[in-house]
Amino acid sequence: MASLLQIDLGPGRKRRVVGIDLGTTNSLVAYIDEHDQPGVIGADGDGIVPSVIAVLGQGDVVVGRRAKEHLFTDTEKTVYSVKRLMGKSYNDVERDTHLLSYRLAPRREGLVRVEIAGTEYTPIELSAMILRDLKARAEEHFGETVTAAVITVPAYFNDAQRQATKDAGKLAGLDVLRILNEPTAAALAYGLDQERKGTVAVYDLGGGTFDISILRLEGGVYQVLATGGDTYLGGDDIDQAIMTRLRSELAEQHGVAEVTPQELQQIRDAAERAKQALSTAEEIAMEFTLADHAVTFHRAFRRDELEEIAGPIIERTMEPCRRALRDAGLAAAGIDAVVLVGGSTRMPLVKQRVGEIFEREPFDSLNPDEVVALGAAIQADVLSGNRRDTLLLDVVPLSLGIETVGGMMSVLIPRNTTIPTQVRDHYTTFVDNQTGININVYQGEREFVRDNRQLAAFTLGPLPPLPAGMPKIEVAFTIDADGILRVKAKDMRTGTEQEIDVRPSYGLTEDEVERMLRESIERAQDDINERMVVEARTEAETLIQAATKTVEKHADLVEAGERERIEEIIGRMREAMHGGDHRLIREITEELDHVTEPLAQRVMNDSVQKGIGQKKIEEV
Ligand code: AMP
């Protein structure tokens, strides 16, 4: 009998999936080759593509180094740091417009847009231009089409920002298999090289964002214990601080008070070059010419002066590190290794401060510019089915929940929960005959939703009118591996259900995340007091309604003076409910409970007697 023999095609890859680090300043593509070796596209840093786009005319778009050249000549048509705009509204980024040399359309509604020569572009379209360029480079490298990728984002990106990144990938013709947190990608790259077990802190200071993550590596599983950071902190800020100093010197020494956008770019460029050179040199000579003012500026620049300028900016990364340690329930001694990621970690002062806070030498053997892309490539390899030994888990940065009676936040998924995750909880109505239930979804750490951030709202219905407390509503929160939240509400009696994917149109800056966390700590006591008042009121209201209903329905069982007594207590209770003393409300609630107990007992006896004949309950 003939039998089939499987033909071995050799160590080929099942599907070409690349890892993309879509950075604020630079982007990079990496891959895993036929021999399981990681590599980046372009040798000797050549594959690093500045995340800069020049839109010179309809269909005339250049990206990367070539686009960077246009920063000087076509300043208003050249876009950088577009990642900062992803998933944001104009209001979110308005305070930074003076730092940008291109124009944002001043529209108050919806997502921010960049205006270039009268045409508006979304950050998604602009990011897609970068991704298209990266895709083309990869295709040239492999000599075949590339259709799928893993793209990295900062750990603090919210749903809108993650979704925007995914959409940009799609627009560029890429199937985005996973949106991966940058520090997690770095840990992956690190784990591959070292095969270490233990707890790792990933300190990622790039051009525009700062991320700190604490991860536990165990048996091939990378679990994120805590994340923190600042989406508005990075090497760009150091450049800005240097520029401020240079501009005041230009004003003092050369009388150049105002500069053209082109000149501003020149100063920015000089500042960045000086900063980078001082990572290895102790002192450099700085020189540049402002063409429009015909001024040549030069001065010596020493590392200690740079450190004096950059020190306060680097210091701002320290508190998120301390908080991440606290969130992970660890002391510095609990960290086994510290990994450095991002171009700015080449600065000696950064290495020193990171070493001090985590009480150990940071691990910097991997190229800090490549580490994220390499980790993304490893994840891409896992998802393309080439590798089975790695599983990735991330966490949610802020608690997620829904609004309940009295405007309280009912948390379904607490902050720092590992994702993907699914949580279900059950709720009921507080008012009789509700035919629709509003599900308001919030993000934040405070006890009351008004202090948190609304993500979505929808109504579950129509529902059959029922007395309060009768319906059983199940609410399920599911967060997928990309950190995108799906909220589902179901009426268990009728099976009616409604679901929503949360894609908030407004972004959340790291400042806001920080503020929310800080306030949740500072206001914890006030919040608890208020929660107790609200809970006492809710309980009181429930008892008032039950007592009133019983008195009306069983008037025949109410004894002389009983109704008056109950009404008098309800009167006092209503008064107490207006005030903020939860102890008083509770006292009166207990009094009402106590006073209505004999009536409740009679009602029960009565219904039991009706049910089993004319016997008294004591006789049964
Ligand atoms: P990334 O976002 O990771 O690509 O990092 C880019 C940032 O790293 C920019 O602010 C660069 O100026 C900065 N950077 C790159 N190389 C160096 C260096 N040698 N020293 C200091 N900063 C650097």
Side-chain angles (χ1 to χ4, degrees):
M1 202 169 75
S3 66
L4 286 176
L5 180 71
Q6 189 170 11
I7 301 169
D8 185 5
L9 288 174
R13 313 303 289 174
K14 282 186 188 143
R15 186 180 176 197
R16 181 69 68 189
V17 186
V18 294
I20 297 179
D21 171 7
L22 184 61
T24 308
T25 320
N26 293 307
S27 298
L28 184 64
V29 184
Y31 59 93
I32 304 294
D33 72 12
E34 286 74 16
H35 308 290
D36 286 341
Q37 291 305 305
V40 297
I41 291 192
D44 300 329
D46 193 38
I48 291 180
V49 176
S51 305
V52 182
I53 314 114
V55 184
L56 305 170
Q58 286 293 332
D60 185 8
V61 173
V62 292
V63 170
R65 247 175 269 277
R66 279 178 55 220
K68 220 172 168 180
E69 286 161 16
H70 290 274
L71 279 171
F72 303 100
T73 48
D74 298 284
T75 308
E76 286 166 7
K77 294 179 180 171
T78 310
V79 182
Y80 52 88
S81 291
V82 66
K83 189 167 170 180
R84 284 182 180 243
L85 308 178
M86 292 291 265
K88 300 277 175 88
S89 70
Y90 181 76
N91 291 343
D92 291 332
V93 293
E94 194 179 8
R95 69 186 173 111
D96 298 305
T97 47
H98 67 286
L99 300 175
L100 306 173
S101 49
Y102 51 89
R103 254 179 71 77
L104 299 181
R107 43 149 69 207
R108 297 280 150 195
E109 297 291 304
L111 296 176
V112 68
R113 276 154 206 266
V114 176
E115 196 178 306
I116 304 167
T119 308
E120 290 185 5
Y121 297 87
T122 64
I124 294 174
E125 288 170 296
L126 294 163
S127 295
M129 292 173 189
I130 300 174
L131 289 170
R132 232 175 261 130
D133 184 82
L134 296 173
K135 181 176 183 283
R137 282 165 182 269
E139 289 176 342
E140 198 181 325
H141 176 92
F142 296 121
E144 64 185 42
T145 55
V146 172
T147 54
V150 166
I151 304 179
T152 58
V153 296
Y156 264 97
F157 257 27
N158 64 15
D159 292 339
Q161 293 166 303
R162 281 166 200 268
Q163 193 58 46
T165 306
K166 227 176 182 174
D167 290 346
K170 217 181 290 169
L171 202 58
L174 288 166
D175 182 8
V176 182
L177 300 185
R178 172 74 61 98
I179 295 291
L180 183 66
N181 280 349
E182 287 158 11
T184 307
L188 264 177
Y190 173 62
L192 178 83
D193 279 7
Q194 306 296 317
E195 293 277 352
R196 266 171 202 248
K197 277 193 171 192
T199 306
V200 177
V202 181
Y203 178 101
D204 180 349
L205 190 62
T209 59
F210 167 59
D211 276 307
I212 177 74
S213 288
I214 297 181
L215 311 115
R216 180 169 290 149
L217 280 74
E218 229 168 66
V221 177
Y222 295 71
Q223 189 165 4
V224 184
L225 299 183
T227 63
D230 190 334
T231 49
Y232 272 80
L233 184 60
D236 293 354
D237 298 293
I238 297 172
D239 301 345
Q240 285 295 336
I242 301 169
M243 282 167 77
T244 304
R245 180 159 301 192
L246 296 179
R247 286 192 62 182
S248 75
E249 288 173 0
L250 274 164
E252 258 171 44
Q253 297 164 20
H254 300 277
V256 180
E258 291 298 318
V259 291
T260 62
Q262 285 83 354
E263 288 176 335
L264 191 66
Q265 272 313 325
Q266 273 181 292
I267 301 170
R268 181 197 306 278
D269 210 45
E272 188 179 8
R273 268 188 283 122
K275 174 191 73 176
Q276 295 186 355
L278 286 172
S279 283
T280 42
E282 282 291 339
E283 181 171 347
I284 57 147
M286 198 178 198
E287 185 179 315
F288 59 88
T289 300
L290 298 182
D292 294 333
H293 282 88
V295 161
T296 299
F297 178 87
H298 44 82
R299 86 196 298 275
F301 205 174
R302 288 181 53 82
R303 188 189 290 168
D304 50 12
E305 189 187 351
L306 169 66
E307 294 188 342
E308 178 231 313
I309 296 171
I313 294 162
I314 295 167
E315 228 28 60
R316 282 169 56 201
T317 65
M318 293 293 123
E319 185 47 36
C321 292
R322 288 187 203 104
R323 194 169 54 226
L325 278 172
R326 275 202 302 277
D327 282 351
L330 293 170
I335 301 289
D336 300 307
V338 182
V339 180
L340 295 180
V341 179
S344 300
T345 64
R346 288 200 178 90
M347 293 182 76
L349 182 60
V350 171
K351 290 189 197 197
Q352 183 198 322
R353 292 296 291 126
V354 175
E356 282 163 5
I357 194 139
F358 291 107
E359 296 169 13
R360 68 193 56 244
E361 279 287 293
F363 195 86
D364 58 359
S365 64
L366 297 171
N367 181 338
D369 293 323
E370 294 180 353
V371 97
V372 167
L374 290 173
I378 293 167
Q379 181 64 17
D381 205 38
V382 172
L383 294 173
S384 61
N386 292 320
R387 184 192 295 251
R388 303 215 170 270
D389 56 350
T390 318
L391 179 76
L392 262 192
L393 303 170
D394 280 324
V395 296
V396 284
L398 288 169
S399 303
L400 296 162
I402 60 168
E403 177 178 1
T404 54
V405 180
M408 288 205 294
M409 172 90 170
S410 168
V411 171
L412 279 102
I413 300 181
R415 166 175 149 72
N416 279 334
T417 297
T418 308
I419 58 169
T421 187
Q422 191 184 53
V423 176
R424 283 168 209 279
D425 225 328
H426 294 97
Y427 298 87
T428 188
T429 51
F430 182 65
V431 178
D432 287 339
N433 305 322
Q434 264 185 256
T435 53
I437 292 175
N438 294 329
I439 307 283
N440 295 315
V441 184
Y442 284 85
Q443 183 177 39
E445 305 312 309
R446 298 287 298 277
E447 298 270 356
F448 289 87
V449 294
R450 57 156 196 263
D451 301 316
N452 291 330
R453 174 172 181 260
Q454 185 161 28
L455 290 181
F458 64 94
T459 304
L460 175 67
L463 302 177
L466 283 173
M470 286 295 280
K472 194 173 175 199
I473 311 298
E474 181 181 271
V475 177
F477 273 34
T478 309
I479 305 187
D480 68 14
D482 298 330
I484 290 166
L485 171 67
R486 171 162 298 181
V487 178
K488 191 161 152 180
K490 183 175 179 179
D491 174 30
M492 301 304 276
R493 189 175 293 261
T494 58
T496 304
E497 61 179 37
Q498 205 95 34
E499 71 177 34
I500 194 167
D501 269 353
V502 176
R503 277 171 207 158
S505 51
Y506 295 101
L508 192 63
T509 67
E510 166 55 20
D511 283 352
E512 285 170 287
V513 172
E514 253 202 71
R515 179 181 52 75
M516 287 164 89
L517 292 178
R518 208 176 41 237
E519 284 178 2
S520 73
I521 296 163
E522 286 166 4
R523 308 272 176 83
Q525 197 50 46
D526 296 348
D527 275 7
I528 288 168
N529 286 339
E530 206 176 335
R531 175 180 273 267
M532 284 166 93
V533 173
V534 169
E535 280 175 354
R537 278 189 194 136
T538 308
E539 206 178 300
E541 186 61 47
T542 309
L543 190 60
I544 291 175
Q545 285 190 20
T548 313
K549 249 194 235 172
T550 311
V551 169
E552 272 168 26
K553 207 170 154 201
H554 303 278
D556 53 323
L557 298 172
V558 177
E559 289 179 354
E562 205 169 30
R563 176 190 291 264
E564 292 69 25
R565 184 113 193 266
I566 291 171
E567 279 171 356
E568 184 268 326
I569 299 173
I570 290 178
R572 267 193 288 129
M573 184 113 101
R574 289 254 178 248
E575 214 166 282
M577 282 164 73
H578 282 298
D581 186 349
H582 60 87
R583 282 189 196 86
L584 181 64
I585 302 171
R586 288 238 181 259
E587 249 169 50
I588 306 175
T589 305
E590 271 170 35
E591 190 184 341
L592 181 62
D593 196 34
H594 185 68
V595 166
T596 51
E597 210 187 297
L599 173 61
Q601 193 66 38
R602 265 174 269 135
V603 170
M604 218 166 72
N605 268 347
D606 186 57
S607 58
V608 170
Q609 278 167 9
K610 280 180 184 143
I612 60 170
Q614 294 306 311
K615 282 183 185 170
K616 285 196 167 173
I617 194 162
E618 293 83 13
E619 299 164 6
V620 177

